[in-house]
C-alpha cells in the first residue's frame, strides 16, 4: 500500500523508525565514507614508506652518481688477513695508513689494533658513521674516519695506502699515485692490480689476492 502523504510504499512500519534508517538527502552513506577514509590512510602509509625508503637508500645510491664509484662490498676475513700480512712484511715503511673507500671500516680497525695510525675515507655517510661507532665501541683510538673524495687526499701523510678499487678506476688511481706518493710508501691493492706497475710481491690468490707495490 502507498502512503498518501509521502508517496512511498507503506510497509506498516513506524515512521520514526523508518526515519532512523533512511539516509538524509545529500549525505553519503556511512560505508562509502569509511571506504574513502581507509583509502586515504593506505595512501598516506604508502607515501610515507616510500619517502622513508628514499632517505635510507640515498647515502648508498648517491656515490654512484659521482665520477668515481667505489661500490660497497665488504672485505672477506681472508682479504683482511692478507692485507695485515702485507703490512707486517713492510714494518720499515712506517705506521701511517689510509684505506680508500673504507666501507664498514674493518681494514682500518684491524690495522689500528696492530698499532697503525689508520684512517679511512668513504663517500657514504652512513658507513662513515657506522665505522666511527665501531671504533668507539672497540676503543680503538688510533682508527679514524672521514667522508672525503679520494682524489682530494694528501697522500704525503701516509706510508701505506690500501685500495679496494674497481678495474675501471685503477689506471686513474695509478696516475694519481705517481704524482702524489713519497719514496717511502707502499700501495696494497685488493681485488684488482694497478695496470702498469709491477708488484713487489703478491699475497693470497683468487678474489682475496693482494698486490703490494713498494714505491
Amino acid at each position: 500500500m502507498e502512503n498518501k502523504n509521502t508517496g512511498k510504499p507503506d510497509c506498516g512500519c513506524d515512521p520514526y523508525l523508518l526515519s532512523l534508517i533512511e539516509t538524509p538527502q545529500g549525505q553519503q552513506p556511512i560505508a562509502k565514507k569509511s571506504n574513502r577514509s581507509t583509502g586515504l590512510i593506505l595512501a598516506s602509509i604508502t607515501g610515507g614508506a616510500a619517502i622513508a625508503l628514499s632517505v635510507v637508500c640515498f647515502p648508498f645510491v648517491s656515490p654512484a652518481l659521482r665520477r668515481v664509484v667505489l661500490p660497497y662490498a665488504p672485505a672477506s676475513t681472508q682479504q683482511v688477513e692478507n692485507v695485515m700480512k702485507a703490512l707486517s712484511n713492510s714494518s720499515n715503511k712506517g705506521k701511517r695508513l689510509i684505506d680508500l673507500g673504507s666501507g664498514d671500516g674493518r681494514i682500518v680497525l684491524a690495522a689500528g689494533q696492530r698499532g697503525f695510525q689508520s684512517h679511512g675515507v668513504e663517500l657514504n655517510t652512513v658507513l662513515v658513521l657506522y665505522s666511527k661507532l665501531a671504533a668507539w665501541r672497540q676503543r680503538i683510538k688510533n682508527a679514524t674516519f672521514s667522508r672525503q673524495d679520494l682524489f682530494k687526499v694528501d697522500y704525503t701523510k701516509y706510508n701505506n695506502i690500501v685500495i679496494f678499487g674497481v678495474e675501471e678506476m685503477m689506471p686513474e688511481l695509478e696516475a694519481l699515485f705517481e704524482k702524489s706518493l713519497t719514496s717511502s710508501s707502499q700501495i696494497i691493492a685488493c681485488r684488482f692490480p694497478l695496470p702498469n706497475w709491477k708488484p713487489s710481491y703478491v699475497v693470497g690468490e683468487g678474489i682475496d689476492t693482494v698486490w703490494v707495490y713498494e714505491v
Side-chain angles (χ1 to χ4, degrees), residues 35-100:
N35 290 339
R36 183 180 179 185
S37 299
T38 302
L40 290 174
I41 292 173
L42 290 175
S44 299
I45 293 174
T46 303
I51 293 173
L53 183 62
S54 299
V55 171
V56 171
C57 292
F58 180 76
F60 292 90
V61 176
S62 58
L65 305 178
R66 300 174 183 269
R67 178 170 61 95
V68 176
V69 180
L70 283 179
Y72 172 53
S76 67
T77 301
Q78 187 60 55
Q79 284 174 329
V80 176
E81 291 180 1
N82 289 345
V83 172
M84 295 304 111
K85 287 179 183 178
L87 291 174
S88 64
N89 291 339
S90 56
S91 57
N92 61 324
K93 291 291 184 181
K95 289 286 189 177
R96 291 170 294 153
L97 175 144
I98 186 168
D99 183 12
L100 307 180

Side-chain angles (χ1 to χ4, degrees), residues 2-204:
E2 182 175 316
N3 190 310
K4 295 181 179 180
N5 295 326
T6 63
K8 297 181 180 181
D10 190 350
C11 62
C13 299
D14 189 323
Y16 175 73
L17 295 178
L18 286 174
S19 68
L20 293 178
I21 63 174
E22 288 181 346
T23 301
Q25 186 176 3
Q27 181 176 334
Q28 295 293 331
I30 295 176
K32 289 186 178 181
K33 278 192 172 183
S34 177
N35 290 339
R36 183 180 179 185
S37 299
T38 302
L40 290 174
I41 292 173
L42 290 175
S44 299
I45 293 174
T46 303
I51 293 173
L53 183 62
S54 299
V55 171
V56 171
C57 292
F58 180 76
F60 292 90
V61 176
S62 58
L65 305 178
R66 300 174 183 269
R67 178 170 61 95
V68 176
V69 180
L70 283 179
Y72 172 53
S76 67
T77 301
Q78 187 60 55
Q79 284 174 329
V80 176
E81 291 180 1
N82 289 345
V83 172
M84 295 304 111
K85 287 179 183 178
L87 291 174
S88 64
N89 291 339
S90 56
S91 57
N92 61 324
K93 291 291 184 181
K95 289 286 189 177
R96 291 170 294 153
L97 175 144
I98 186 168
D99 183 12
L100 307 180
S102 54
D104 60 7
R106 61 186 66 189
I107 293 290
V108 175
L109 296 173
Q113 290 174 331
R114 289 163 174 78
F116 285 83
Q117 187 63 43
S118 52
H119 182 69
V121 295
E122 170 63 49
L123 284 176
N124 190 313
T125 304
V126 174
L127 291 175
V128 172
L129 294 175
Y130 176 88
S131 300
K132 288 182 176 181
L133 178 61
W136 176 78
R137 291 184 63 184
Q138 298 179 40
R139 299 181 180 180
I140 307 175
K141 295 182 179 180
N142 55 328
T144 58
F145 301 88
S146 65
R147 185 179 183 278
Q148 189 175 0
D149 188 330
L150 61 86
F151 283 92
K152 298 179 180 179
V153 173
D154 181 5
Y155 291 100
T156 61
K157 297 179 180 179
Y158 304 99
N159 310 110
N160 303 278
I161 296 96
V162 180
I163 174 68
F164 277 79
V166 293
E167 188 173 12
E168 293 77 12
M169 70 180 296
M170 298 309 281
E172 195 170 359
L173 281 174
E174 184 179 81
L176 174 67
F177 294 150
E178 287 178 347
K179 296 178 182 178
S180 57
L181 293 186
T182 64
S183 58
S184 60
S185 301
Q186 74 167 353
I187 301 167
I188 301 174
C190 308
R191 294 204 176 104
F192 295 99
L194 296 173
N196 299 308
W197 289 12
K198 182 179 180 180
S200 301
Y201 60 94
V202 177
V203 180

